[in-house]
Amino acid sequence: MSIDQAVLYFYIYSFLGWVYESILVSVREKQWTNRGFLIGPICPIYGAGGLIFALMGTHMGIPLTFLICMVSSAVLEYFTGYTLEKLFHASWWDYSDMPLNLNGYICLPASVLFGVMGVAVSHFIQPLVAVPVGYLPEWAVNIAALVLVGITSADITVTVSTLSNFVDKLVEIDKRINQAIDDRYKELGSSVSGTIRSVKAIPANVREKIIDQEILKSNLSLTGVQMKVLSKIKSFRSHSGEKYNGRIREFIHRLPISKKTKPGKEANEHDDQLR
């Protein structure tokens, strides 16, 4: 296997992993969900895992292959999840609700499934994939590898620039919304714990207006690319380590797509509606 062929296998398995993840999550959430860290239709962690499984070949027995694939996939998934969260304070998957999980990055059921997938790739899928790739002329493999790497590099650049320091801004808005709801509740002569989900006495329509008002005041607009990247994130974590799940995702899609509106004016209109 040449380096360029290895690159092609990496992208083939990255794409297949994206298809698997997207279908699995879409069925679970009952709506189409575009999975993966990047904007394009690939999941690099599956590409890395698939390439490792492909390199293992069929010379080992299935039980040993399963064990090695299960352990190596767990190590890869934990390292990737930990690194992404440290870099961007965000997680693209979260096993916290699964049994026998480790910090939400990995869990035994998922690792067992990856072990089974490793056996399938190394013993059955890779021999089939290798046939059409083997027929490609060397120049075609070289060009395809270069083009794919170039596209992915651009994708990574856009994704990283979108996420840099952006999650912290969302966390700050979340805190401001909680504080605004808390202040509104105190105006009614009571107190509240300060979290959106615990607010029961405030009417739903008033709560919605408070959230929209604070978002407009933040003067924070999202491009279509930013919306696409952020919609893939499973959970968020601030610098202090505090975790935010549904509350941030609850209002991400309320953020303006572009800066065509005048936040100050609309915020005042919402403010008038609240009085």
Side-chain angles (χ1 to χ4, degrees), residues 74-92:
V75 172
L76 178 63
E77 192 172 30
Y78 190 96
F79 174 78
T80 303
Y82 177 84
T83 301
L84 288 175
E85 188 167 294
K86 288 300 178 183
L87 288 175
F88 304 112
H89 308 288
S91 301
W92 278 257

Side-chain angles (χ1 to χ4, degrees), residues 80-144:
T80 303
Y82 177 84
T83 301
L84 288 175
E85 188 167 294
K86 288 300 178 183
L87 288 175
F88 304 112
H89 308 288
S91 301
W92 278 257
W93 64 88
D94 189 354
Y95 295 126
S96 297
D97 296 331
M98 295 291 289
L100 301 174
N101 76 84
L102 182 58
N103 299 326
Y105 298 130
I106 59 175
C107 68
L108 184 59
S111 297
V112 170
L113 177 60
F114 286 132
V116 173
M117 292 172 62
V119 171
V121 170
S122 60
H123 284 71
F124 304 104
I125 298 177
Q126 176 59 22
L128 296 176
V129 173
V131 173
V133 173
Y135 277 116
L136 292 175
E138 184 177 352
W139 63 267
V141 174
N142 295 341
I143 292 177

Side-chain angles (χ1 to χ4, degrees), residues 19-35:
V19 171
Y20 164 77
E21 278 277 332
S22 297
I23 292 176
L24 181 67
V25 176
S26 296
V27 170
R28 186 169 63 232
E29 298 185 0
K30 298 181 180 180
Q31 63 177 357
W32 171 247
T33 302
N34 184 356
R35 293 290 292 166

